[in-house]
Amino acid sequence: METIRKDLKEFQWTDWLVMVMTTGVFLPHTVCMAVLLGCCIAVAVKGGIKMLVEKSWEYYCLYAFLLLEIIVCTFYKNWDGLLIIIGFVGVFLYTGFYRKTAHKKLLIYLIEWALILSLLTAVLGLIQFNHVSQLGGYSFWDFEIQNSPKRRITGTFQNANIYAMILELVLICSFFRFLCIKNWKRRFYYMFVAGVQFFMILLTGCRAALVPIVFIIPLMLAMHKKKRMLMVYCGLFTIAAIAVFMKPDLIPRIDDISTIQSRVKIWKCAVEGIKEYPLFGNGPWTYHRIYPQFHGHKAVHSHNIYLDCVLSFGIIGCTLLAGYVIGLLKDVWSTYKKDRLLFSLMGACFLVIGIHGLVDGTIHPIKVMLLFMMIVNLRLKPQETV
């Protein structure tokens, strides 16, 4: 506790601003956007515009991408998409500030605070679950996960799937802290937090959120040569797999194939939209604009980040965006030799977004993007390497 007090006393205003933004991620969307705007204004006033602007080749690709999307959205009168792009601008300005000022100790405190906030959000999620259970004529203890999107828990997020994506990132963070700590009393705390997140993922009814976790945890254990833990994990996973095989309803909504069928329809419609607007797309939420034209299934996005990026941003936009992503991946790779544990956390977050993104729009929600970007954009200082 004394160490924590000392660390917090040494925090600079930039560190506290990051903690405020972390808090914002777990607040309702409108409040989070207000916090993001306030943080960007605070940085501009106190540190100058230069603290928000990152000067590197990948960021020049990003700025060109954002400018292009503003033009495309305006040209096609995609005002919802324009608002989303303005949100992206805020996220990337904040990220430019974060990259300049963040340090490893701050990331640790950011994660610890996010774990606490996730537990508080879980309490709200349980209250919501009790409410939607009663609406459906069930008891809380029936643990009945209903198919209706309006009767699935959302926490402080816009829908159940976005909540599940945040839970995935938090669960990976708790596992990262578990591996960082050798004290078993503290390890039990991180196991408890991870268990809560896993349980809440089940309550969201988002089956796709379970898939990345199955692969990522053993990869992290293998990377750090935790052979005993890996054997225990494989044993528990085998038991769980047998149990699910014998009793499929252990995984909520596992027998509901209607969403799979609807996604196939969405993907086919998205392909037709790509053919119609191959170079520039229509900006964010292009799918929502074009699905009536191709008699597609009603949805906001394509439920696949790869298809949705090409549909929304076109070949030109995706090329510019790829320049930024490649630069970010190079930064993450540079962490491998400096801090393999931190690298495994960053890599795990990319895998969560990439694997879950096969069936959902994982990185587009602003709050998911904010938490993800704060984890993967830490650039280690020379004295922080191990």
Side-chain angles (χ1 to χ4, degrees), residues 86-97:
I86 291 172
F88 283 8
V89 171
V91 170
F92 289 116
L93 286 176
Y94 171 79
T95 303
F97 149 76

Side-chain angles (χ1 to χ4, degrees), residues 46-224:
K46 196 169 179 66
I49 296 295
K50 63 181 180 180
M51 283 195 74
L52 293 168
V53 179
E54 180 77 6
K55 295 180 180 179
S56 59
W57 68 268
E58 63 264 32
Y59 262 78
Y60 291 135
C61 289
L62 178 63
Y63 298 146
F65 165 77
L66 293 172
L67 178 60
L68 173 65
E69 292 312 309
I70 289 173
I71 294 171
V72 169
C73 288
T74 303
F75 180 80
Y76 286 108
K77 297 181 181 179
N78 180 3
W79 308 126
D80 289 333
L82 183 61
L83 286 175
I84 293 171
I85 289 298
I86 291 172
F88 283 8
V89 171
V91 170
F92 289 116
L93 286 176
Y94 171 79
T95 303
F97 149 76
Y98 180 84
R99 282 166 64 90
K100 292 184 180 72
T101 60
H103 49 89
K104 187 176 179 180
K105 184 182 290 186
L106 175 62
L107 178 64
I108 298 302
Y109 276 99
L110 182 159
I111 289 174
E112 293 289 354
W113 183 229
L115 298 186
I116 294 171
L117 291 170
S118 72
L119 292 176
L120 295 175
T121 307
V123 174
L124 175 60
L126 292 174
I127 294 171
Q128 290 176 343
F129 184 72
N130 182 59
H131 177 65
V132 297
S133 294
Q134 291 177 353
L135 289 177
Y138 300 100
S139 162
F140 177 93
W141 304 106
D142 290 332
F143 293 114
E144 180 67 27
I145 313 301
Q146 301 170 74
N147 288 328
S148 171
K150 294 181 179 180
R151 292 187 178 178
R152 292 165 59 194
I153 64 171
T154 61
T156 55
F157 302 90
Q158 291 162 290
N159 60 54
N161 289 342
I162 294 177
Y163 185 23
M165 285 182 263
I166 289 288
L167 288 168
E168 288 175 89
L169 294 177
V170 173
L171 193 153
I172 294 301
C173 286
S174 62
F175 190 64
F176 163 73
R177 291 299 293 148
F178 172 86
L179 293 175
C180 288
I181 301 298
K182 294 183 178 180
N183 184 304
W184 273 99
K185 288 183 179 180
R186 291 184 63 186
R187 277 186 165 182
F188 278 121
Y189 164 71
Y190 296 117
M191 290 170 64
F192 168 75
V193 175
V196 170
Q197 307 316 313
F198 183 79
F199 179 66
M200 297 308 292
I201 288 174
L202 291 177
L203 291 190
T204 65
C206 184
R207 296 156 295 177
L210 299 172
V211 178
I213 297 168
V214 171
F215 297 102
I216 290 168
I217 290 179
L219 282 174
M220 292 179 74
L221 289 172
M223 179 174 289
H224 299 291

